[in-house]
Amino acid sequence: RRAAAVARDSGGGFWAGALVGGVLGGVAAYVFAPQISKFLLGEDGEADDIGGVEETNTKLTGEIAALNREIDTVKAQMGTKMEAEKTIKSVMDDTLGQASI
């Protein structure tokens, strides 16, 4: 009988523990959140790494521009190659067409 009563009671113990843990966690977050944000953002309340973000943005913009130039160069080379192949094919067709006459 006693084991059955303890087994039935353990569900309530879980919820009580969850409630107490949630309350304690909320209080700890409320108390420590200002200190954590001061540590992460610095004393003035602004992120310290703004210059690094701008520098990275400038660097990436330059790299993207360089990649776009390379893509344009490859496209131009491919276009030139395709035009050359068309010209060769046209000359070959004309030559073979005249040879069969």
Side-chain angles (χ1 to χ4, degrees):
R1 281 184 155 197
R2 191 169 185 155
V6 170
R8 279 193 307 250
D9 223 14
S10 65
F14 170 78
W15 290 111
L19 180 65
V20 170
V23 168
L24 290 177
V27 169
Y30 180 77
V31 169
F32 292 113
Q35 295 171 0
I36 292 170
S37 61
K38 281 182 185 177
F39 174 76
L40 293 175
L41 297 177
E43 292 300 319
D44 57 357
E46 292 186 20
D48 294 333
D49 202 40
I50 295 296
V53 171
E54 291 173 0
E55 181 180 324
T56 301
N57 188 19
T58 302
K59 181 180 176 184
L60 289 175
T61 301
E63 289 179 7
I64 289 170
L67 286 172
N68 284 333
R69 285 190 299 273
E70 289 295 321
I71 289 170
D72 291 341
T73 301
V74 170
K75 281 182 181 179
Q77 290 173 352
M78 289 178 66
T80 304
K81 182 179 178 183
M82 291 174 70
E83 289 299 318
E85 288 175 356
K86 286 179 185 177
T87 303
I88 291 170
K89 185 175 185 300
S90 175
V91 169
M92 293 293 287
D93 288 345
D94 290 345
T95 304
L96 291 176
Q98 289 177 359
S100 63
I101 295 178

